[in-house]
Amino acid sequence: MKNLLSIEEVDRGAIEAILDRAESFAEVGRRDIKKVPTLRGRTVVTLFYESSTRTSSSFELAAKRLSADLVSVKAAGSSVDKGESLKDTVATLSAYDPAAIVIRHPYAGAAQMVAAWTPAAVVNAGDGKHEHPSQALLDVYTLRRRLGSLEGRKIWIVGDVLHSRVARSNLIAFRRMGAEVTLCGPPTLIPRGIEELGCRVTHSLDGLEEADVVYALRMQLERMNDKLVPSLREYAANFQIDTRRLGPRQLLMHPGPVNRGVEISGEAIDSPQSLIGEQVAAGLVVRMAILYELLAGGPERPSAIGEGAAQSSAPVIGQPA
Ligand code: CP
């Protein structure tokens, strides 16, 4: 795998290989020294044009745990403020010969464009409403640890599907792993024709009790130009996941950040069924596995990513750095 731009490009075997690798990094994370030398001498750039806490911090920590040199750029406060284009920004950062660029950008397709402008491996950390593939991988990892397998499991994704790159990536990944996916939300927040991706669509929480997993989505207020719901109070009355609606055997997930009291009640977030904290922890080891897969896991890397590639193509993850 050269880049991680879309979960559509990652087949079930490749997903399982990344998750297995993440399990081995979870074991490293339980040691006193949590660092391995896999990417020593390599550089990872994170380039974020949108706000992030989880994705940016976990990719940064993942790069450090793998002993890479890290350059972390947030568009706000960088020369992007002076009008520098995405292409020129990528060219500038590529001059440092990074092995990977992790990019988040508000425009769908931005990561794909970056991949055409740099010899580095490119990871899509979220491009507009399009995709968030590393989120999908960490969510499958979290569920695999809890359920063993997703085969035949019923997963309801509830809320603002229209603006959600997570919904799209997770729908693809969950189905690829054998789950049955239902999308639930008001008609204004479900994209027309999304059933073609192989899911069921419903506009009410009736029947939620069949779900093994309830995956609530954030109401993306910053992306809503039109008034797509009458009010947040009315949305919450119809679609909020609370402890009345969530049965004791059901698991609750959310990609974060959560609007507490809107898409999920505070009580449900803090309930034993909530996997939200486990999802965040999974983000670190899964993103280590993604960087490993792209930079050290495959056959010999093309020379574009640097001379050290061949040496680090057989990394020792059992040895501390
Ligand atoms: N889930 C997610 O992408 O969170 P951040 O926006 O905090 O990175």
Side-chain angles (χ1 to χ4, degrees), residues 48 51-56 104 132 135 165-166 255-257 287:
F48 276 65
S51 308
S52 170
T53 298
R54 292 149 201 78
T55 314
S56 57
R104 171 171 287 188
H132 195 351
Q135 179 75 43
R165 53 196 174 210
V166 174
R287 287 168 174 137

Side-chain angles (χ1 to χ4, degrees), residues 185-220:
T188 47
L189 293 181
I190 304 277
R192 220 173 287 162
I194 196 147
E195 296 93 333
E196 285 166 24
L197 290 178
C199 58
R200 205 169 66 88
V201 168
T202 177
H203 302 302
S204 109
L205 288 177
D206 292 347
L208 185 72
E209 60 278 5
E210 72 162 28
D212 299 298
V213 179
V214 179
Y215 195 107
L217 297 171
R218 184 171 70 86
M219 285 291 276
Q220 300 206 20

Side-chain angles (χ1 to χ4, degrees), residues 234-309:
E234 191 162 323
Y235 173 83
N238 289 313
F239 294 100
Q240 184 185 92
I241 306 302
D242 59 22
T243 48
R244 280 180 309 119
R245 287 173 168 153
L246 195 67
R249 70 163 193 93
Q250 293 177 306
L251 299 174
L252 174 63
M253 301 180 83
H254 189 293
V258 183
N259 297 307
R260 256 179 200 258
V262 179
E263 62 265 8
I264 315 187
S265 69
E267 209 185 346
I269 294 169
D270 301 328
S271 71
Q273 293 112 298
S274 170
L275 302 184
I276 295 171
E278 288 179 38
Q279 290 172 263
V280 176
L284 172 58
V285 292
V286 169
R287 287 168 174 137
M288 287 174 79
I290 290 167
L291 292 175
Y292 181 101
E293 172 63 27
L294 294 179
L295 306 182
E300 206 166 311
R301 304 288 307 163
S303 60
I305 66 161
E307 289 298 312

